[in-house]
Amino acid sequence: MNELSQYNYLFLDRDGVINVERPNDYVKNIAEFVFIEDSLKAMAILTQKFDRIVVVTNQRGIGKSIMTNSDLEIIHQYMISEIEKAGGRIDKIYYCTDLSNRSINRKPNVGMAFQAVADFPEVDFTKSVMVGNSFSDIQFGQKLSMHTILVGDKYKKEHKIHNNINAYYENLYKFADSL
């Protein structure tokens, strides 16, 4: 039995986990939204393994007026549609447009997690996994006693973040395939 079989709830970051992150930029439209290789396959697998799947994503580009809430909604509808076509699902997407790092909703702060519990009261953070590609994602999960998974190539193997995670996978598909 897989060690993660005790976990029922999945929290995912978006950029760098589901889609290709745009360094020093934002995904502002569907043309700029590119799924990471095999992330759609990963979502189909994860849908079978978790009772709830939510996305928690910082979207400062809206706060900076680089894009609008409407732009983001179009991107998210596209993402959900493609994930559903591939046999996966996302139960809800939570995002923070705030510019201040002190905002309760901006990761690594935990406001988006409590929004998820308000919508899905059965969610138990100690039975949750947080998958992200950045230090703020890992801190978010740790503050809530979640099992933390780092994906991607943002940090070299020697980086201190690797001392603070439960596991590392090259990408979301490798994580999903391990379950």
Side-chain angles (χ1 to χ4, degrees), residues 110-126:
V110 295
M112 287 187 282
F114 287 100
Q115 290 176 39
V117 168
D119 290 332
F120 307 109
E122 72 276 14
V123 170
D124 176 344
F125 298 137
T126 65

Side-chain angles (χ1 to χ4, degrees), residues 25-37:
D25 197 4
Y26 302 93
V27 175
K28 301 175 290 300
N29 55 58
I30 292 172
E32 294 178 347
F33 187 94
V34 177
F35 283 97
I36 292 173
E37 184 178 356

Side-chain angles (χ1 to χ4, degrees), residues 111-150:
M112 287 187 282
F114 287 100
Q115 290 176 39
V117 168
D119 290 332
F120 307 109
E122 72 276 14
V123 170
D124 176 344
F125 298 137
T126 65
K127 295 185 184 306
S128 297
V129 175
M130 175 65 203
V131 179
N133 74 323
S134 71
F135 198 60
S136 65
D137 298 324
I138 300 305
Q139 288 178 307
F140 170 89
Q142 289 172 335
K143 286 180 179 183
L144 297 161
S145 299
M146 294 179 179
H147 189 87
T148 55
I149 305 289
L150 179 69

Side-chain angles (χ1 to χ4, degrees), residues 3-5 29 35 50 53 62 69 75 78 83 99 106 110 113 123 128 132 138 140 148:
E3 75 167 286
L4 291 180
S5 63
N29 55 58
F35 283 97
F50 291 93
I53 300 174
I62 294 171
N69 274 305
I75 292 164
Y78 168 74
I83 288 170
L99 296 177
R106 186 167 183 74
V110 295
V123 170
S128 297
I138 300 305
F140 170 89
T148 55

Side-chain angles (χ1 to χ4, degrees), residues 3-176:
E3 75 167 286
L4 291 180
S5 63
Q6 65 187 328
Y7 296 94
N8 303 92
Y9 313 107
L10 180 62
F11 287 73
L12 297 172
D13 180 39
R14 192 192 81 182
D15 300 325
V17 175
I18 297 171
N19 62 284
V20 175
E21 191 166 30
R22 295 173 57 86
N24 303 310
D25 197 4
Y26 302 93
V27 175
K28 301 175 290 300
N29 55 58
I30 292 172
E32 294 178 347
F33 187 94
V34 177
F35 283 97
I36 292 173
E37 184 178 356
D38 293 330
S39 65
L40 290 170
K41 288 182 191 174
M43 292 304 298
I45 295 168
L46 296 169
T47 294
Q48 302 304 313
K49 304 286 184 181
F50 291 93
D51 297 337
R52 292 280 177 213
I53 300 174
V54 298
V55 170
V56 287
T57 178
N58 290 336
Q59 292 295 321
R60 196 178 260 170
I62 294 171
K64 292 180 175 180
S65 299
I66 293 170
M67 57 191 292
T68 66
N69 274 305
S70 178
D71 295 331
L72 187 62
E73 183 64 29
I74 291 166
I75 292 164
H76 284 166
Q77 286 305 317
Y78 168 74
M79 178 180 74
I80 289 170
S81 172
E82 294 301 306
I83 288 170
E84 288 174 351
K85 284 181 200 172
R89 77 165 196 290
I90 292 175
D91 293 298
K92 191 145 185 192
I93 300 170
Y94 302 91
Y95 61 92
C96 178
T97 63
D98 299 338
L99 296 177
S100 172
N101 289 336
R102 289 183 300 222
S103 167
I104 188 64
N105 293 317
R106 186 167 183 74
K107 290 181 295 178
N109 300 322
V110 295
M112 287 187 282
F114 287 100
Q115 290 176 39
V117 168
D119 290 332
F120 307 109
E122 72 276 14
V123 170
D124 176 344
F125 298 137
T126 65
K127 295 185 184 306
S128 297
V129 175
M130 175 65 203
V131 179
N133 74 323
S134 71
F135 198 60
S136 65
D137 298 324
I138 300 305
Q139 288 178 307
F140 170 89
Q142 289 172 335
K143 286 180 179 183
L144 297 161
S145 299
M146 294 179 179
H147 189 87
T148 55
I149 305 289
L150 179 69
V151 297
D153 60 2
K154 188 180 276 190
Y155 303 98
K156 293 186 187 311
K157 298 287 185 215
E158 306 79 36
H159 192 278
K160 66 181 179 179
I161 194 171
H162 289 276
N163 300 328
N164 297 317
I165 56 174
N166 294 109
Y168 167 79
Y169 293 91
E170 184 181 331
N171 57 44
L172 188 61
Y173 177 75
K174 298 278 187 185
F175 164 64

